[in-house]
Amino acid sequence: MSGIKKHALSREPGIDGILVTVGLCIIALLLCVVMKDSLTTFIQTIVTAMQTKAADILTGV
């Protein structure tokens, strides 16, 4: 009886890391789908700011 209980309570060594990785990937995909419009706006804002800064540097302002 103790052998069955010991086997039932034991864990496989790599399964926890795999489950955490899969869970994080699912969360990341959900965030990308839900926040697609926000991310697009955020990236466009950054690109515009970088273009403005680059133009200022090139013109010597």
Side-chain angles (χ1 to χ4, degrees), residues 12-54:
E12 294 296 322
I15 195 73
D16 291 337
I18 293 170
L19 290 176
V20 168
T21 303
V22 170
L24 289 175
C25 288
I26 291 171
I27 291 170
L29 285 173
L30 286 174
L31 283 174
C32 286
V33 169
V34 170
M35 300 185 68
K36 183 176 71 171
D37 296 331
S38 301
L39 288 172
T40 303
T41 305
F42 178 66
I43 291 170
Q44 287 175 345
T45 304
I46 291 175
V47 170
T48 303
M50 289 173 64
Q51 288 174 341
T52 304
K53 186 67 174 175

